[in-house]
Amino acid sequence: VQLQASGGGLVQAGGSLRLSCAASGGSFTGDVWGWYRQAPGKQRELVAKITSGGTADYADHVEGRFTISRDNAKNTVHLQMNSLKPEDTAVYFCNARRSFPPMYNYWGQGTQVTVSS
């Protein structure tokens, strides 16, 4: 199983980026997909997550600015990030997790997002 994240880059404060994560090599049903981020010297934190049914949940600091979506047919998840702030700078990781059998917890390789002031 492989999760391939893409879409990171350098953007000015107030700008937008769209991250994508494509999964391959497995079957993905009944799971939760999420985007996490890790800034230098900090722990990895949840940014947003979405169930297979489309229910989304966001961290307080991105609520209203970021939107997570998924395409179950294509095994992809996206994170639209608007009104970016310098504090959003981090490596962003996608995650696919299923908490009942067959259980799994897959991570993508991470994509760098840098927001300049």
Side-chain angles (χ1 to χ4, degrees), residues 28-116:
F28 303 91
T29 58
D31 52 13
V32 177
W33 285 67
W35 284 98
Y36 292 72
R37 70 186 185 188
Q38 187 167 17
K42 295 187 177 180
Q43 290 188 334
R44 191 173 298 187
E45 62 177 6
L46 176 67
V47 175
K49 61 182 179 180
I50 186 168
T51 68
S52 57
T55 299
D57 191 26
Y58 300 90
D60 289 344
H61 49 272
V62 306
E63 182 83 51
R65 300 188 296 123
F66 292 9
T67 302
I68 189 170
S69 62
R70 66 186 284 174
D71 184 333
N72 292 331
K74 296 182 178 179
N75 290 330
T76 58
V77 63
H78 305 282
L79 185 68
Q80 178 66 42
M81 305 185 294
N82 298 328
S83 302
L84 283 161
K85 305 175 181 180
E87 50 263 43
D88 294 319
T89 295
V91 178
Y92 284 69
F93 300 87
C94 59
N95 172 264
R97 175 176 52 84
R98 178 167 158 147
S99 58
F100 58 93
M103 300 172 68
Y104 53 79
N105 186 20
Y106 302 128
W107 290 92
Q109 85 284 7
T111 184
Q112 176 71 47
V113 171
T114 303
V115 185
S116 63

